[in-house]
Amino acid sequence: MHSLPATPVTAPTVTLPTVAVLGGDADPAPAHGRAGLAADAGPADETALAPAEEFPEGLEELPLVELQVLHSRVTRQVEHEHLSPEGPHPLTRDRQHDVTAELAARGPLRAG
């Protein structure tokens, strides 16, 4: 038969990271109706391209490296917006489609 230990066993203490919460002083709902979406306020860093930021009109005129950087930033923004209850912003999804189509038009992907 098994006996219980003399001192009780306790689970280790886990410290959770601090999470910032937006207060009630946020701007009123934007014209497109996506109130409180952090992505609308702009990215937290320069690796994403928020819907409010400028987007080049002539993608076919961009050098390949700049197009690849733009693709990376738009994709990071889509990933960021997936975390919101509303999902990706329609403008961000349109940008992702346009950049992906331009990359595809420049040639097939090569396995490497």
Side-chain angles (χ1 to χ4, degrees):
M1 188 155 155
H2 297 284
S3 63
L4 295 174
T7 57
V9 178
T10 59
T13 303
V14 177
T15 304
L16 298 175
T18 304
V19 178
V21 178
L22 294 176
D25 60 342
D27 293 335
H32 49 73
R34 294 170 57 88
L37 180 61
D40 290 337
D45 58 39
E46 295 295 320
T47 65
L49 186 71
E53 292 184 72
E54 287 189 35
F55 185 77
E57 290 195 27
L59 296 179
E60 60 279 346
E61 298 169 9
L62 289 179
L64 180 59
V65 172
E66 288 183 29
L67 184 64
Q68 290 169 329
V69 169
L70 184 62
H71 178 265
S72 176
R73 291 185 68 202
V74 170
T75 301
R76 294 266 303 174
Q77 185 66 28
V78 169
E79 291 171 351
H80 174 73
E81 291 172 1
H82 268 295
L83 299 176
S84 73
E86 294 89 359
H89 191 285
L91 183 59
T92 303
R93 294 303 300 236
D94 288 345
R95 289 174 171 184
Q96 183 183 39
H97 177 267
D98 292 346
V99 173
T100 302
E102 179 59 29
L103 282 172
R106 293 194 185 194
L109 296 175
R110 296 185 187 133

